[in-house]
C-alpha cells in the first residue's frame, strides 16, 4: 500500500445528490422565473428529535447553525432560540434555494466513507440501516464498514470545469482511507466494485469510481453553488450533537 499512500489517491464521486438532505428539484426557479418565499415560509422552526430530557442546550447549536449559514453565503438570516425551539428567520426576498440551504445546514453532518460491496440488493444487509440501502439515483447498494468517519478540519466549495465540488482538508490519520482506496483500485474483497460511497447522516449522497489521476479528495455531485457551499459549511463546523427535526 506504500504506492497508494505516496500518491494520495482520491475519491472522485461521479454521481450525487443534494448535500445532506432535500431534493435536486428547483421549484419556482426554472424557465427564468424566480419565486420568493412568503413571510410565513421564511420562518422555519426546528426541535430536537426524541426526548427533550437530557438534550444539550439549544443556544450553542443555534450558534453553529448561524455559522453554517454565514459560511454558505446566506447573509441576513437570524437564528434564535424560543424555549425548546430553534427558529430561523430568512431575510425578505429569499427564494426556495435559501429554504433548501436551511435543510442542509441543520443536518447533523456525520460523514463516513464506505466501500461499495455490491450495486444490487443481493449482497445482504448494510451496516448503515440493517437493510440494503440506495444511492442518490435510487439504485440499490450494499456498503461495507466505514473506513473513515468525520475528521475534517475544514472544507471549501469550488467551481471547476465539471461543476461545483467540495474539497475537504482532514486533521486525522488518512491511512485507513488510503488503504481502502488502494483496495478499490485493485478490486479487493473489501471493495470489489472499485467504488466508494460518501455517506452523510446515514444517507448516501455520492458514490463513484476511484480516479487514480487525482491527488486530493474531492466530493462531486449534482451540486449547485448553494448546495456545495452548504455542504462545505456543514463539514467545516463538525457534526451537531443532536438531530433537528421540523417543529409543528
Amino acid at each position: 500500500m506504500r504506492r497508494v499512500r505516496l500518491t494520495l489517491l482520491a475519491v472522485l464521486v461521479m454521481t450525487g445528490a443534494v448535500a445532506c438532505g432535500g431534493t435536486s428539484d428547483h421549484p419556482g426557479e426554472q424557465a427564468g422565473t424566480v419565486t420568493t418565499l412568503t413571510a410565513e415560509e421564511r420562518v422555519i422552526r426546528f426541535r430536537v428529535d426524541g426526548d427533550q430530557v437530557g438534550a444539550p442546550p439549544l443556544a450553542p447549536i443555534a450558534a453553529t447553525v448561524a455559522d453554517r449559514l454565514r459560511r454558505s453565503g446566506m447573509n441576513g438570516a437570524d437564528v434564535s432560540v424560543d424555549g425548546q425551539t430553534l427558529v430561523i428567520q430568512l431575510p425578505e426576498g429569499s427564494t426556495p434555494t435559501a429554504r433548501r440551504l436551511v435543510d442542509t445546514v441543520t443536518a447533523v453532518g456525520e460523514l463516513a466513507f464506505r466501500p461499495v460491496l455490491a450495486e444490487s440488493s443481493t449482497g445482504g444487509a448494510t451496516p448503515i440501516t440493517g437493510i440494503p440501502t440506495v444511492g442518490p439515483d435510487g439504485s440499490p447498494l450494499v456498503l461495507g464498514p466505514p473506513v473513515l468517519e468525520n475528521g475534517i478540519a475544514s472544507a471549501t466549495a469550488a467551481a471547476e470545469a465539471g461543476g461545483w465540488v467540495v474539497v475537504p482538508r482532514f486533521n486525522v490519520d488518512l491511512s485507513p482511507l488510503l488503504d481502502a482506496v488502494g483496495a478499490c483500485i485493485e478490486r479487493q474483497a473489501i471493495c470489489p466494485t472499485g467504488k466508494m460511497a460518501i455517506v452523510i447522516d446515514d444517507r448516501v449522497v455520492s458514490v463513484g469510481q476511484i480516479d487514480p489521476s487525482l491527488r486530493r479528495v474531492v466530493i462531486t455531485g449534482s451540486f449547485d453553488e448553494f448546495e456545495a457551499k452548504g455542504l462545505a459549511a456543514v463539514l467545516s463546523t463538525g457534526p451537531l450533537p443532536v438531530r433537528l427535526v421540523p417543529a409543528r
Side-chain angles (χ1 to χ4, degrees):
M1 290 300 172
R2 181 172 178 79
R3 169 178 57 83
V4 175
R5 297 187 189 207
L6 288 176
T7 55
L8 187 57
L9 301 180
V11 178
L12 174 62
V13 180
M14 298 190 298
T15 60
V18 176
C20 301
T23 70
S24 57
D25 296 330
H26 293 197
E29 300 176 55
Q30 300 174 355
T33 64
V34 177
T35 301
T36 57
L37 301 176
T38 66
E40 182 179 358
E41 291 171 332
R42 286 189 284 110
V43 180
I44 307 103
R45 296 177 172 83
F46 294 90
R47 62 173 177 82
V48 174
D49 189 21
D51 192 354
Q52 301 285 337
V53 177
L58 275 178
I61 297 171
T64 299
V65 171
D67 185 27
R68 288 176 171 182
L69 285 169
R70 286 191 296 269
R71 289 170 182 260
S72 303
M74 172 57 68
N75 298 315
D78 178 72
V79 183
S80 60
V81 175
D82 181 12
Q84 295 182 329
T85 304
L86 186 147
V87 183
I88 299 177
Q89 171 77 58
L90 295 176
E92 188 174 354
S94 294
T95 67
T97 296
R99 180 62 185 84
R100 294 197 315 276
L101 179 61
V102 168
D103 290 334
T104 295
V105 300
T106 52
V108 174
E110 290 279 359
L111 172 72
F113 290 83
R114 291 174 177 260
V116 178
L117 301 181
E119 295 180 271
S120 69
S121 59
T122 60
T126 73
I128 295 180
T129 61
I131 59 174
T133 189
V134 296
D137 60 356
S139 60
L141 295 174
V142 177
L143 305 182
V147 296
L148 185 70
E149 295 180 283
N150 301 318
I152 292 180
S154 63
T156 57
E160 299 193 351
W164 281 90
V165 303
V166 176
V167 183
R169 183 172 63 85
F170 296 89
N171 58 6
V172 296
D173 180 15
L174 292 181
S175 297
L177 177 60
L178 298 179
D179 287 345
V181 167
C184 287
I185 292 174
E186 297 172 1
R187 302 295 179 96
Q188 296 180 12
I190 68 167
C191 188
T193 65
K195 295 183 178 182
M196 187 78 70
I198 295 178
V199 181
I200 297 179
D201 296 344
D202 292 347
R203 178 172 178 261
V204 179
V205 296
S206 300
V207 60
Q209 202 80 31
I210 300 297
D211 187 340
S213 68
L214 296 182
R215 295 178 181 270
R216 57 177 179 161
V217 175
V218 179
I219 303 174
T220 73
S222 56
F223 305 139
D224 62 21
E225 179 179 1
F226 269 93
E227 291 159 356
K229 289 182 177 180
L231 175 56
V234 168
L235 297 179
S236 294
T237 54
L240 297 179
V242 295
R243 186 179 300 276
L244 298 173
V245 295
R248 304 300 181 187

